[in-house]
Amino acid sequence: MNTTRRTFLISSGLLTTALVSGIELPAFAAGDATTLRIALNRQTGNLDPTVYKAIWAVQSMIFEPLVRYGQGGKLEPALATSWSVSEDGKALAFKLREGVTFSDGTPWNAEALKWNLDRWIGKEDHSWLLVSAAYDRLQIVGPYEVVLHLKNPVPSALAELTTVRPVRFLSPKAVAADGTFKEAVGTGPWKVVRNDAERTELVRNDGYWGEKPAFEAVSLVVIPNARSRVDALRAGQIDITGGVFVAALSPQDARTLEASGLAVETATGTDTLVLGFNPERPILQDPRVREAVSLCLDRAAICEKLLKGFATPTMNLFPSVIPDSGRRLPVPKRDVARAKALLEEAGWKGAGVRSKDGTPLKLELVISEDAVAGSRALGEVIQNFVREAGIDVDLRLVDHVSRHDDIPQLKYDLALFITAGAPYDPHSSLTTYFLSTYRTGTDGKMFMDAAKLDPLVNAALTATEGTRAAAYQAFYDWLEQNHAIAPIYHATRLWAHGKRVSNFSIPATEYEMPHEGIKLVAG
Amino acid sequence: MLKLVYKRFIGAMMLIVIASVFCFLLIAAFPGNVALVIAEQRSATVSIEIVHQVEEEYGLKDPILVRYGRWLGDTLRGDLGRSLRTGEPVGPALLRRAAPTFVLILAGATVALTIGLGFSLLGALWPGGMVDRGVRALALVGASMPKFFIAALLVYAFGVLLKVLPTYGFDGPSSWILPALAIGIVPGALISRVTRVALESAMSRPYVTTALAKGMSRGRILVRDAVPNVLPVVVNAFGIHFAFMVQAAIVIEPIFAWPGVASYFVEAARFRDYQVLQSSLLLFSMFFILVNFVVDLIVLTIDPKQRRPRSA
Amino acid sequence: MSSSEALLDVSNLDVTLHTERATVRASRAVTYSVAAGRTLAIVGESGSGKTILNLAPLGLLPPGVTADITGEVRFDGKLVLGDGVNQIASHRGKDIGVIFQDPLSALNPARRIGSQIMEVAEQHLGMTARAASAHAAELLKMVGIPDPVARLSQYPHELSGGMRQRVVIAAAIAAEPKLLIADEPTTALDVTVQAQIISLLRQLQKRIGMAIVLISHDIGVVAGMADAIAVMYAGAIVEIGSADDVLVQPSHPYTRGLLASVPRLDTPLGAPFRGLPGLPPDLSRPLKGCAFEERCSVALEACGSARPPLQPVAGTHAAACFANVRAALAATR
Ligand SMILES: Nc1ncnc2c1ncn2[C@@H]1O[C@H](COP(=O)(O)OP(=O)(O)O)[C@@H](O)[C@H]1O
Ligand SMILES: [Mg+2]
């Protein structure tokens, strides 16, 4: 008894001593001058470009496309130095960049391109990409020259080829004998040296064909908790945090970081938060009701109060940074009187909650914090805004999975949607959210009208260069005239960085990581 | 004694079986279609067809009993399946993630025990003194303070203001300190209160008067006479807090970005990754039951009346 | 009473206990002494203040109780209590051993008996653990415990009550004290064991040569062993003298009552027990006259208004009773 107690005391004493003596002091806080540290909100995951798992922005540091999506949607050469689209829009010719190798030494050429396309193009799982759905065959003209033949013209084909997955290029040697993915080897400026639950570590690809990074390594550290990321940045233990899909920075946190003297970088959002109406609900089939709801919203107040000024109020489906995003619409002031008048006109009458033929004007708004961060608060605000006009909105909080169950089955009256953003828009959101013939599993529809809207969508999607802008505008005009949707705001893109980082710039899309041009400075 | 141990062991085993049923049902009965989550991994936009195909593949439409049987069989064979979200095998992932959780709970337990014993002894040595009142206040406040708040305070103080300790990561002993404190301080304060009360009552027992009459000092009596008598109380209190540290780890691990079992669980919960959820929940329950079993055994051993019943 | 060769010399000791609920005058103006190597028995009903009188000066108060102590205590010729001095506690365990009434609770249930004895030798005799262990085994043998070495590693619950009291005694005498205070050492034990313990104490006294203060509520238990007897009632000594004097010529009605209540061998079984009628007074209330007045069969008028002082009866024999004085006066007349 005595001996066991003594042993216990001694061993716990030793453990404490070990803990204390193991403390190595602050070397970590400063960070070493050659490594950029960026926070991730989750594990990067399987980097295979044909699998929809990894964090896009991490994949984009390793794998490159044929053409790159520049600021404002301008296409820039990447693994292709030039390209052209045939008259009929069905053949895309590419000249490939010569002298490029994957980081394992495998040469980049038409053969490597074909090997990559064979992994995904034309397959069912990837048919959501119009270029994959329309794929006919690949013609190899020379070792650095290929033509992609499509069954029908796909005006968005080049934009689709700028995306991260499944289109980017993996080294043909980076797979096992049976063709399954083995390691993440691309042509990009970074090489993977570690990828696990804690962090993804990248080192500079010294054989990179483009401008080489100014620092040697990037450490992408997994910090799931938003609050912890903010603290880590303030403590100088990471250099960069932000990005919708990387480690989203909330408006409140951004203001906190600003207040503590850290740099918060902003860029106009490429996506739009939209309040959508279930077109199958009789109440909502009356455009006057939809317009009334829209008029009740004080968009400026939402941007100011809920998003701490990090959003732009809008009536447009897309922000102007999106190509062919149409004429800018004025954002109306909140007008409850007009909303009430519209409802009266539509037959919704009475004090308190309005009703018509005994049916109360009650609507259900589905809220999923997982799908749209901050949507619960937004839902409550919307609820209050419309109540004044006599509309009773119920909030139903659901999680990620339930939302994905309910939305496609149209089990809601109102729902919040976010457009796909760059580089997918405008074509992607049109297809997914408005085309009645396109069956989406999880995203649902913002609005549908097979007879009137589908032709406009199809016209916009298939329009060629010269007529495209007008075709899109016709679609936007229809939405506007019918009050089909209630766009609310474009959320500002937020990134924050510490004092070590200079020359920071926000990349063109949320699918890319800020690293280009960045310099690490002492302190 | 042996018979008692045997009985407790059987009890623990039965609890584990019951726990396995609960772990399975709890997760399997969640609303929402898991198939969608799986389907999302295959394509950027999911069609209903893919969802049905997934349901077919994973047998998600089978009766729940069939699914339980399948799961139990696989689990017993050591096959914990693959994560629905990442596709990696769950067993090795849990194993890999066991180390951080293990360290967290062990370091937290060390903190809790050090605080619990240290402060209660100091308090009992100088009843009503500063330490005594301080710990009482801390225990009172601490019991009602959420763990994440304590963690935030610690991070702010040592990471943001003083910049002396890492605020995140599982990266050697210096990175263990804040999480261990965050998880251990409150249990420590609570254990110290319980111990302190027990010590106080032990110190008013006749054997203490005897020891005083033998010329022993108060400090020595406290350690040699009172402590052995309160050990069962301490072990019990410690055992409970130790077992609940798994629960606390669910809060602490994500805050400090520790790649442990608890953060695996949290991630899985968000994405309805029920393969991971069921296995980690079962693991937690087993840990809980096992700790209780071990605590029972320890209490049995440290009580001489139980350990050595007066026989002949 | 005080003599130059006295080992323990207590004079005018007043102990007032303070608890949360009450203030109790547990002993008043108590004066006695114990000669080296001799035994003083202190007898009196339960609650008369025997324990407090002996243990309060040693700092061994019940938990939650504080005490005001006035008077003087000399130990081994040195002033250890009174006149601003308070060193008596430093003699605990070393020069003064204590045995308690209840051996069941006096030992620590969570510790082996060996270590409970050994620590005394380690502390006061500076012995190493090994030497102390041998010493403890010897002590156990001395107090009559068979197979002492094996016993050292046992726990209290593995021993009988009598054995446990022997262990308590062994711990109390481990440092060979000059004085042993035995507070009702046999009260909690079977009658047969009582006699064994008393005879053990006598043997030990002879061997070690220590003085003993033997406390008991049963005058019969101490009769055979005491050299001197002090009878306590309500916190004061009402009669004191050599054992022969007190037993043969009890001079206080309370002492006589105590003696009468001792069952004799020739008392037929089932005969009515002749205990003292009534209850002792509440010590938390002030007393005007003799504390025993209410229960006394020979009470005088004076007894209700004044407290009788301790008056010599013959030689060192003294008693505190007005009736006695009157009888003495009558006798001389
Ligand atoms: N723990 C205690 N709390 C309060 N009063 C006590 C306590 N112990 C003893 N006393 C008081 O002191 C008096 C003397 O008690 P004590 O010395 O224990 O008597 P004895 O040993 O003769 O039975 C009692 O009558 C009681 O009033
Ligand atoms: Mg007593």
Side-chain angles (χ1 to χ4, degrees), chain B residues 2-308:
Chain B
L2 263 178
K3 219 172 129 188
L4 211 58
V5 172
Y6 181 72
K7 258 169 71 183
R8 297 270 158 96
F9 180 76
I10 296 294
M13 286 299 123
M14 265 160 58
L15 273 178
I16 288 178
V17 171
I18 295 170
S20 85
V21 176
F22 272 99
C23 290
F24 181 83
L25 288 184
L26 209 69
I27 306 300
F30 264 6
N33 191 347
V34 181
L36 275 164
V37 181
I38 306 169
E40 271 182 341
Q41 317 264 316
R42 302 203 176 164
S43 175
T45 51
V46 177
S47 70
I48 299 291
E49 287 73 30
I50 300 185
V51 173
H52 289 323
Q53 193 187 324
V54 168
E55 280 173 350
E56 191 70 27
E57 265 175 54
Y58 285 79
L60 293 173
K61 289 280 169 209
D62 292 344
I64 198 129
L65 260 177
V66 174
R67 289 167 59 198
Y68 174 69
R70 197 163 50 211
W71 173 71
L72 193 67
D74 289 349
T75 303
L76 286 178
R77 259 181 281 117
D79 176 8
L80 303 182
R82 282 171 177 278
S83 159
L84 301 183
R85 200 170 69 79
T86 64
E88 60 177 351
V90 176
L94 281 176
L95 221 60
R96 209 171 42 245
R97 286 165 169 269
T101 306
F102 193 70
V103 168
L104 178 66
I105 289 179
L106 225 60
T110 309
V111 169
L113 208 59
T114 311
I115 292 177
L117 279 183
F119 285 119
S120 60
L121 284 175
L122 290 178
L125 260 184
W126 294 285
M130 250 188 21
V131 177
D132 203 20
R133 280 176 295 161
V135 172
R136 192 174 322 190
L138 184 69
L140 221 76
V141 177
S144 53
M145 209 153 42
K147 292 250 166 19
F148 70 82
F149 185 69
I150 293 172
L153 283 182
L154 288 169
V155 165
Y156 189 75
F158 293 100
V160 178
L161 284 185
L162 299 173
K163 296 200 194 322
V164 292
L165 289 173
T167 61
Y168 73 88
F170 176 62
D171 226 4
S174 69
S175 72
W176 301 351
I177 297 172
L178 291 186
L181 287 175
I183 204 170
I185 283 181
V186 171
L190 294 176
I191 292 171
S192 108
R193 275 314 295 159
V194 173
T195 311
R196 171 77 185 80
V197 169
L199 278 176
E200 190 169 323
S201 108
M203 283 303 277
S204 64
R205 303 297 295 275
Y207 55 73
V208 171
T209 313
T210 308
L212 283 170
K214 289 192 291 188
M216 304 295 137
S217 68
R218 255 190 89 79
R220 189 192 159 106
I221 293 173
L222 192 66
V223 175
R224 304 252 343 222
D225 288 285
V227 168
N229 278 285
V230 304
L231 269 187
V233 176
V234 178
V235 170
N236 261 320
F238 175 72
I240 289 168
H241 289 292
F242 187 65
F244 273 109
M245 273 187 194
V246 176
Q247 190 196 19
I250 289 177
V251 178
I252 298 297
E253 278 187 12
I255 289 181
F256 290 99
W258 276 33
V261 177
S263 49
Y264 196 36
F265 177 81
V266 173
E267 256 172 72
R270 264 197 67 192
F271 291 93
R272 211 53 70 75
D273 190 341
Y274 74 87
Q275 284 288 8
V276 173
L277 286 179
Q278 282 161 345
S279 296
S280 40
L281 210 56
L282 186 63
L283 200 69
F284 293 160
S285 325
M286 277 170 65
F287 174 80
F288 202 90
I289 293 165
L290 228 66
V291 166
N292 276 311
F293 174 65
V294 170
V295 164
D296 275 358
L297 281 194
I298 294 177
V299 171
L300 272 183
T301 356
I302 53 180
D303 183 355
K305 283 189 191 133
Q306 303 261 17
R307 178 158 45 106
R308 300 165 58 142

Side-chain angles (χ1 to χ4, degrees), chain C residues 287-311:
Chain C
L287 273 174
K288 246 173 90 192
C290 175
F292 191 59
E293 190 227 348
E294 259 182 48
R295 304 167 76 185
C296 186
S297 52
V298 296
L300 307 170
E301 265 165 66
C303 298
S305 52
R307 178 184 296 269
L310 204 56
Q311 299 256 328

Side-chain angles (χ1 to χ4, degrees), chain C residues 56-59 67 69 73 79-91:
Chain C
L58 279 169
I69 304 173
V73 177
L79 183 70
V80 289
L81 189 78
D83 207 10
V85 183
N86 189 353
Q87 300 176 332
I88 195 164
S90 68
H91 294 274

Side-chain angles (χ1 to χ4, degrees), chain A residues 300-384:
Chain A
I302 289 172
C303 293
E304 210 43 54
K305 297 274 146 52
L306 278 184
L307 289 112
K308 314 287 173 207
F310 288 125
T312 318
T314 190
M315 286 298 282
N316 281 88
L317 177 59
F318 298 120
S320 56
V321 287
I322 296 291
D324 300 315
S325 53
R327 181 167 48 81
R328 296 295 93 193
L329 299 172
V331 179
K333 281 233 152 49
R334 178 169 192 244
D335 192 346
V336 181
R338 170 116 184 82
K340 283 178 173 168
L342 281 166
L343 292 171
E344 288 287 334
E345 196 185 310
W348 295 97
K349 300 194 191 290
V353 178
R354 288 167 188 275
S355 61
K356 180 174 165 182
D357 309 329
T359 316
L361 189 43
K362 268 177 163 304
L363 298 168
E364 186 186 69
L365 173 57
V366 177
I367 297 287
S368 162
E369 276 285 331
D370 290 328
V372 183
S375 59
R376 183 182 178 155
L378 179 57
E380 280 162 7
V381 167
I382 292 173
Q383 191 177 37
N384 285 325

Side-chain angles (χ1 to χ4, degrees), chain A residues 172-446:
Chain A
K173 295 241 178 75
V175 294
D178 63 351
T180 52
F181 174 80
K182 214 169 64 193
E183 47 188 336
V185 179
T187 58
W190 299 102
K191 298 193 288 189
V192 186
V193 288
R194 174 181 169 186
N195 182 28
D196 56 33
E198 261 176 278
R199 60 187 68 214
T200 301
E201 265 162 15
L202 309 175
V203 295
R204 187 166 57 200
N205 173 8
D206 286 318
Y208 184 52
W209 58 268
E211 193 188 323
K212 291 184 191 64
F215 43 96
E216 285 166 22
V218 179
S219 187
L220 301 156
V221 292
V222 181
I223 308 179
N225 188 286
R227 161 102 224 158
S228 307
R229 292 194 292 270
V230 168
D231 285 336
L233 189 65
R234 292 173 75 184
Q237 293 173 19
I238 55 171
D239 298 311
I240 295 177
T241 185
V244 175
F245 308 121
V246 176
L249 193 58
S250 76
Q252 180 59 60
D253 283 346
R255 290 293 180 213
T256 305
L257 286 174
E258 260 182 359
S260 54
L262 289 150
V264 171
E265 307 274 349
T266 62
T268 316
T270 67
D271 57 20
T272 311
L273 185 111
V274 175
L275 177 65
F277 306 103
N278 183 344
E280 293 188 349
R281 292 285 190 269
I283 296 178
L284 293 169
Q285 277 166 0
D286 187 334
R288 287 170 297 193
V289 175
R290 301 197 294 258
E291 188 185 358
V293 170
S294 180
L295 277 170
C296 286
L297 306 179
D298 187 339
R299 292 171 170 80
I302 289 172
C303 293
E304 210 43 54
K305 297 274 146 52
L306 278 184
L307 289 112
K308 314 287 173 207
F310 288 125
T312 318
T314 190
M315 286 298 282
N316 281 88
L317 177 59
F318 298 120
S320 56
V321 287
I322 296 291
D324 300 315
S325 53
R327 181 167 48 81
R328 296 295 93 193
L329 299 172
V331 179
K333 281 233 152 49
R334 178 169 192 244
D335 192 346
V336 181
R338 170 116 184 82
K340 283 178 173 168
L342 281 166
L343 292 171
E344 288 287 334
E345 196 185 310
W348 295 97
K349 300 194 191 290
V353 178
R354 288 167 188 275
S355 61
K356 180 174 165 182
D357 309 329
T359 316
L361 189 43
K362 268 177 163 304
L363 298 168
E364 186 186 69
L365 173 57
V366 177
I367 297 287
S368 162
E369 276 285 331
D370 290 328
V372 183
S375 59
R376 183 182 178 155
L378 179 57
E380 280 162 7
V381 167
I382 292 173
Q383 191 177 37
N384 285 325
F385 279 152
V386 300
R387 182 176 296 138
E388 241 181 276
I391 306 172
D392 185 25
V393 166
D394 253 352
L395 300 186
R396 184 154 60 88
L397 296 165
V398 298
D399 63 7
H400 180 73
V401 172
S402 306
R403 173 188 159 94
H404 282 11
D405 254 359
D406 293 354
I407 301 273
Q409 294 176 40
L410 295 172
K411 280 198 260 181
Y412 64 93
D413 299 323
L414 306 170
L416 295 169
F417 298 88
I418 296 181
T419 56
Y424 296 101
D425 279 337
H427 58 275
S428 184
S429 289
L430 253 66
T431 319
T432 324
Y433 291 124
F434 296 97
L435 202 57
S436 72
T437 51
Y438 184 86
R439 299 209 34 202
T440 34
T442 56
D443 293 325
K445 300 287 176 195
M446 288 188 195

